[in-house]
Amino acid sequence: MSIEAKIAAGSKAVEFIKSGMIVGLGSGSTAECFIQALIESGLNIQAVSSSRTSTELAKRGGIEVVDINSVPRIDITVDGADEIDPLKRMIKGGGGAHVREKILASSSDEMIVIVDNTKLVPSVGTKKLPVEVMFYGSPATRMKIEELGYQGKWRQNPDGTLLISENGNLIYDMHFTSPPKAPEHLHEALINIPGVIDTGFFFNMAGRVIVGYPDGRTEIRR
Ligand code: 5RP
């Protein structure tokens, strides 16, 4: 993956933002390229953010970040993805922010997805699926997840301690040996387990998809 591809996708997304809009900020390195380009555009917008890191970057650049609970609706959310397939099904949560990102995306008139070309896959589920799990009862919840036939591990911090999401929960990274045939069914099965907050699957949420390439080209998929 190349930073040029991420910058290209992030900068292109700014063309769809207009002054006066309420803009949802995703998380991750590609979303940060968008936030940087948004700062440089000088557009007068209000933002709602999916993570502490995105909030801090936006605020440092002079963007007004408002509380999600103070806005009824978001015009456009711009966010990255870990995987996206031709049906625009995605896996997100590499940065552990997928629960908030999904709330922003589902509250937006449009979610614009920005990815570098390495994120394009034939079918979602090539590596791992982040699943946010409540700490309370987490060993039992994990057992029920693994009874579906998958293995995985709790996400850790670099020092080996358990990573706690900004929502105060654990992230279980479920591993795939091959992409699931029916990711929608797997998502349903997972969210029906008590203690599972949400999965990193995003279905029927992506609007325009901006793909960035290392040579600075972009392609928009609708
Ligand atoms: C964070 C996310 C990110 O959008 C996803 O992990 C992509 O990150 P990057 O742009 O750094 O590759 O879902 O929870």
Side-chain angles (χ1 to χ4, degrees):
M1 82 192 89
S2 89
I3 187 67
E4 288 78 14
K6 293 178 184 219
I7 291 172
S11 306
K12 187 73 185 170
V14 175
E15 293 179 16
F16 301 101
I17 309 297
K18 295 185 178 57
S19 283
M21 279 186 168
I22 297 176
V23 180
L25 306 178
S27 300
S29 56
T30 320
E32 285 171 21
C33 292
F34 165 71
I35 297 169
Q36 193 55 47
L38 187 60
I39 292 167
E40 286 161 18
S41 74
L43 284 164
N44 184 19
I45 56 103
Q46 285 187 315
V48 289
S49 173
S50 56
S51 67
R52 214 174 294 128
T53 309
S54 293
T55 302
E56 282 166 11
L57 176 61
K59 281 188 173 171
R60 270 202 311 276
I63 292 178
E64 184 190 355
V65 181
V66 298
D67 191 324
I68 175 79
N69 292 354
S70 72
V71 296
R73 195 80 206 145
I74 300 164
D75 291 297
I76 291 181
T77 284
V78 180
D79 201 354
D82 297 301
E83 299 184 13
I84 182 162
D85 73 12
L87 299 174
K88 296 203 283 190
R89 300 182 298 190
M90 297 183 279
I91 287 184
K92 291 181 46 55
H98 55 284
V99 173
R100 292 185 185 203
E101 291 167 341
K102 199 178 280 186
I103 292 171
L104 292 192
S106 66
S107 311
S108 302
D109 290 343
E110 183 180 5
M111 176 193 199
I112 296 183
V113 178
I114 48 174
V115 287
D116 64 81
N117 58 320
T118 65
K119 306 295 183 57
L120 305 174
V121 297
S123 186
V124 277
T126 64
K127 296 179 204 86
K128 65 172 188 185
L129 174 72
V131 181
E132 185 150 333
V133 172
M134 263 184 80
F135 182 74
Y136 183 90
S138 49
T141 308
R142 176 178 182 159
M143 219 164 66
K144 293 181 190 114
I145 293 174
E146 293 182 350
E147 278 166 8
L148 296 174
Y150 293 90
Q151 291 294 309
K153 54 182 186 220
W154 297 121
R155 195 175 296 182
Q156 297 180 343
N157 295 306
D159 66 2
T161 56
L162 282 176
L163 183 137
I164 306 294
S165 75
E166 287 189 31
N167 308 314
N169 301 310
L170 301 177
I171 307 281
Y172 180 79
D173 285 319
M174 185 189 223
H175 289 286
F176 294 117
T177 45
S178 59
K181 289 207 167 44
E184 292 85 355
H185 293 167
L186 175 58
H187 171 75
E188 280 305 312
L190 286 164
I191 57 166
N192 279 328
I193 297 172
V196 169
I197 307 291
D198 207 345
T199 81
F201 280 129
F202 281 54
F203 305 124
N204 303 315
M205 286 201 179
R208 279 167 282 203
V209 178
I210 304 176
V211 184
Y213 292 87
D215 63 2
R217 258 182 326 115
T218 55
E219 176 198 335
I220 299 181
R221 302 183 176 188
R222 288 170 194 276

